[in-house]
Amino acid sequence: MFSADLFQLAGEVFFDGDRYTDAAQCYMLAMSASREAGAYDLWACALTRHAYLGLYERRHGEASEMLTVAERVALQGDSSLSTRHWVAAVQAQAFAGLGALEDCERALERAEQVMELPAGSSNDGWLRFDGSRLAEERGARYVELGRLDLAEQALTAALKQSPLAKGLSYRRRGAVLADLAIVGAKRRDIDETLTHAHEAVDLAKRSGSGYIARRLQSLRAELAPVASDARIAELDSEIVALNVS
């Protein structure tokens, strides 16, 4: 089990550094090691982390299929752990990418059941899902589904949580700000877009997080209708520079 845990953690490091091929190899090794050990929760987590690669490359159908396998494996694991709830949270992301609102909301509801587990049901190593990020996850899913009012409500609530306060989690705060910038861009609200995007860019630079950079890359696609505005053009250049630095 130690090797499966180690491979998963190594995969996370490679994933956040945009080294997808290395991450995939680590996750495959983690899957093999945990399957041979009969460690169902570790196995389900490795499957889920591998599915993330498909999600970030917009291969939502492929990711959804792998997550279905992860769900089945997780049901054979320890019911006191939050494995199945985390799988559901990631399934919601796949469903959002497929445009399946009802499936997405059902998956989010399953994920939220993690709040019914006893305290300490997550692990500091390979499993760290305790429901604390559900507001930002729900907001991100609504952004992808185009439900802007629901997205803004969830993301604004997430931003008010103490773990996302300024100076704490750059990665999480930056991702939420990037999503709020996307909401502003979809509404053609330039001031709202710039306010959130500039702070997200700053956090991406300070943290070096490829995760925030990827979220800002999604924002670029929404800027085209207002690209003639000089401030938007400058923002777009900053995001391009961020992604190539």
Side-chain angles (χ1 to χ4, degrees):
M1 287 181 62
F2 174 76
S3 60
D5 191 355
L6 183 63
F7 284 133
Q8 291 207 50
L9 292 173
E12 284 191 85
V13 173
F14 286 131
F15 178 78
D16 200 47
D18 292 332
R19 296 175 60 179
Y20 289 172
T21 300
D22 292 327
Q25 184 176 9
C26 287
Y27 295 149
M28 290 294 290
L29 290 169
M31 279 187 259
S32 178
S34 53
R35 182 175 62 247
E36 291 177 6
Y40 293 106
D41 291 283
L42 273 167
W43 183 6
C45 285
L47 284 161
T48 303
R49 294 188 193 285
H50 198 288
Y52 261 117
L53 299 174
L55 293 176
Y56 280 97
E57 294 176 344
R58 309 296 297 176
R59 293 182 280 110
H60 296 102
E62 179 181 318
S64 181
E65 291 177 1
M66 183 167 287
L67 289 164
T68 297
V69 177
E71 181 181 22
R72 293 171 183 165
V73 172
L75 289 174
Q76 300 178 67
D78 187 344
S79 61
S80 70
L81 295 177
S82 60
T83 314
R84 64 193 185 281
H85 305 97
W86 181 52
V87 173
V90 182
Q91 282 180 313
Q93 185 172 350
F95 288 136
L98 293 169
L101 173 62
E102 292 183 0
D103 288 335
C104 177
E105 292 194 318
R106 281 195 290 268
L108 286 169
E109 288 171 3
R110 293 196 300 274
E112 287 171 349
Q113 291 172 9
V114 70
M115 308 305 292
E116 300 172 9
L117 293 179
S121 296
S122 61
N123 180 286
D124 288 336
W126 49 270
L127 179 61
R128 300 187 300 277
F129 184 78
D130 59 5
S132 62
R133 304 188 181 197
L134 281 171
E136 56 210 85
E137 288 288 331
R138 183 176 286 275
R141 303 296 78 81
Y142 285 142
V143 168
E144 189 148 19
L145 287 161
R147 302 299 297 268
L148 302 185
D149 289 343
L150 293 174
E152 183 178 37
Q153 181 180 357
L155 292 168
T156 300
L159 210 57
K160 293 177 180 178
Q161 294 177 338
S162 55
L164 272 72
K166 290 185 178 181
L168 295 181
S169 177
Y170 288 1
R171 189 176 187 270
R172 288 177 63 187
R173 184 176 177 85
V176 171
L177 287 164
D179 283 334
L180 281 168
I182 291 173
V183 171
K186 285 179 177 292
R187 289 173 170 166
R188 308 294 182 258
D189 187 329
I190 294 177
D191 289 335
E192 181 182 352
T193 302
L194 293 171
T195 296
H196 297 306
H198 280 310
E199 186 179 348
V201 168
D202 179 61
L203 291 175
K205 290 177 179 177
R206 290 161 65 183
S207 65
S209 173
Y211 181 70
I212 303 175
R214 284 191 292 271
R215 299 293 268 267
L216 287 167
Q217 185 63 34
S218 298
L219 169 62
R220 288 191 67 214
E222 303 294 337
L223 298 178
V226 290
S228 59
D229 187 289
R231 296 170 297 167
I232 292 295
E234 181 180 355
L235 170 64
D236 186 69
S237 296
E238 289 182 23
I239 296 174
V240 170
L242 179 68
N243 278 277
V244 299
S245 60

